Amino acid sequence: MKNCSESLPSSLVGKKIIRAATIGMSLNIFCRGLLTELSQDGYEVIALSSPDDDLAELGSREHVRTIGVSMERHMSPFKDLLSLFKLTKVMIKEKPCMVHSMTPKAGLLCMLAAWMARVPLRVHTFTGLVWPTSTGLSRKILMMTDRITCFCATHVIPEGEGVKHDLQTCITRKPMRVLGYGSVKGVDLGYWKRTEKSQADSCGKEKKCFTFIFVGRVVRDKGINELVHAFSRLHKHYPDTRLLLVGPSEDNLDPILPETRKMIEEEEAIVSVGSQKDVRPYYEESDVLVFPSYREGFPNVVLEAGAMELPSIVTDINGSREIIKDGVNGVIVPPRETDALFEAMEDMVRCPEEVERMGTNSRSIIAARYEQSFVRTCLKQFYSELFSKNVCGLR
């Protein structure tokens, strides 16, 4: 296992960090418990995002100060300039030693603002890249924004080796490293664990259905079109199967096909439950995670499903192929290929003993590489290395 020392120097007291994301939900999910730990280690922590209920909840739970600055998730030149102006004012007023951003828009705006305000330590974590699956002018614009983010940042953290490769190949030559084995927040194995698998008959049959589950945004880029069509075909041959879709739709940003939406609404074996505060009960009712995304950084869904002893069918993309070892804790298929997805799902239905074997392997692999305390210790060590250089007195 990679070594991440837990020792922290006593000189950290009073060092101010702004942790930033575009929306409060990102901070609320990825920094749960972390900001409290950083405060206990002697840092002064501020959480910054667009003002929303998640940001307020985070501040109350973590006992940290919050700052709300509206940021648009999509391109909006006028509003982005206004946000940049407000963020720069925040940086000048607060005089943080470090600004650490995540998510694309917050990375661009916060790194620019921190650069203009001469913040000594400017860190951005890339949790995923959008431009590899884009084309034309959109791709060029997205690559340009990532180049600006990297130029303004003093340190770049790729969430996984695949993201690191893409950044170094196409975006920047700045030195960078993956912390630990990857992952932004790791997995709390005390929380993500199987209790007693539900025996409830959710399909209306006496015999329990073989259940596939998808957790995430129900959008095109997550491979929902291919997943729904593959399952519909599978269900015709294996009627004792069902598909759970757990997550919100974003029809205004990345809509699925109308025919796919119709299939979800009309097929009784496809159960869409929307966003859920606690997805563990749905994992417990399931046999296999299917995550056919087109692009990822390091998908937490695959980590969490593995901790819940589920094997995964994933696409051959960054992050997913780093977590899943083909035939060991899941199956890897090419992205955007409905036939390959169908065949992998059929193999799972036909070989329940393999499903059980890979599910058992899944939790042990997650425990060995992505346990939350290990991931956080790697981040704390990284912070310690930066602050030990005593750059915060420089302006």
Side-chain angles (χ1 to χ4, degrees), residues 68-353:
V69 178
S70 296
M71 290 177 272
E72 295 289 324
R73 292 176 64 186
H74 56 276
M75 287 185 286
S76 180
F78 177 77
K79 291 182 178 179
D80 290 346
L81 285 173
L82 181 60
S83 298
L84 178 61
F85 174 74
K86 292 180 178 179
L87 287 166
T88 304
K89 286 183 63 177
V90 168
M91 304 300 177
I92 293 172
K93 178 183 177 182
E94 294 293 337
K95 294 182 172 60
C97 294
M98 175 192 289
V99 175
H100 185 175
S101 60
M102 59 186 297
T103 68
K105 183 58 72 71
L108 174 65
L109 296 179
C110 290
M111 289 298 97
L112 266 170
W115 177 72
M116 289 190 290
R118 300 183 66 191
V119 175
L121 296 173
R122 306 181 296 273
V123 182
H124 179 68
T125 294
F126 281 92
T127 57
L129 302 172
V130 181
W131 53 263
T133 57
S134 301
T135 58
L137 180 61
S138 177
R139 178 184 174 93
K140 292 179 180 179
I141 293 173
L142 291 168
M143 292 180 73
M144 179 185 69
T145 59
D146 280 354
R147 289 188 179 114
I148 294 172
T149 299
C150 289
F151 173 82
C152 293
T154 58
H155 298 81
V156 176
I157 304 175
E159 191 176 14
E161 293 294 340
V163 174
K164 175 183 175 181
H165 175 268
D166 288 347
L167 286 171
Q168 291 184 325
T169 302
C170 302
I171 301 299
T172 182
R173 294 185 178 180
K174 279 188 176 180
M176 62 185 75
R177 77 172 191 260
V178 176
L179 302 184
Y181 295 97
S183 176
V184 167
K185 69 186 186 79
V187 181
D188 181 352
L189 295 175
Y191 181 85
W192 296 102
K193 64 181 180 180
R194 185 172 291 277
T195 54
E196 182 178 349
K197 194 167 184 178
S198 172
Q199 297 300 313
D201 178 16
S202 302
C203 292
K205 298 183 176 67
E206 293 182 2
K207 181 180 178 182
K208 183 184 180 300
C209 295
F210 189 101
T211 302
F212 295 96
I213 184 172
F214 167 87
V215 179
R217 292 177 298 117
V218 182
V219 295
R220 181 188 65 88
D221 267 10
K222 294 296 183 182
I224 297 299
N225 291 316
E226 293 83 357
L227 173 57
V228 170
H229 283 76
F231 175 77
S232 180
R233 178 179 164 192
L234 179 80
H235 185 63
K236 293 176 182 177
H237 298 282
Y238 302 92
D240 290 329
T241 56
R242 69 168 173 167
L243 172 63
L244 284 179
L245 301 176
V246 184
S249 298
E250 291 187 352
D251 292 338
N252 58 323
L253 292 176
D254 188 23
I256 58 178
L257 294 171
E259 62 189 84
T260 303
R261 174 65 60 192
K262 184 177 180 181
M263 293 169 71
I264 293 173
E265 294 172 351
E266 295 182 355
E267 175 59 69
E268 291 184 2
I270 301 177
V271 182
S272 182
V273 298
S275 297
Q276 299 292 321
K277 282 283 188 180
D278 186 359
V279 301
R280 291 174 299 175
Y282 298 94
Y283 280 132
E284 290 191 336
E285 288 190 13
S286 303
D287 297 282
V288 176
L289 172 74
V290 190
F291 196 70
S293 183
Y294 298 169
R295 59 177 177 84
E296 293 292 327
F298 213 88
N300 286 286
V301 167
V302 181
L303 296 175
E304 292 161 358
M308 296 290 291
E309 300 180 38
L310 294 185
S312 296
I313 299 173
V314 301
T315 40
D316 190 8
I317 58 171
N318 288 343
S320 292
R321 59 171 166 253
E322 296 170 52
I323 302 167
I324 298 301
K325 308 302 177 186
D326 201 19
V328 177
N329 59 338
V331 176
I332 301 175
V333 300
R336 304 174 188 258
E337 292 194 13
T338 303
D339 288 346
L341 192 57
F342 165 80
E343 291 170 5
M345 295 170 74
E346 183 179 44
D347 286 343
M348 292 290 191
V349 174
R350 295 174 62 182
C351 302
E353 67 283 354

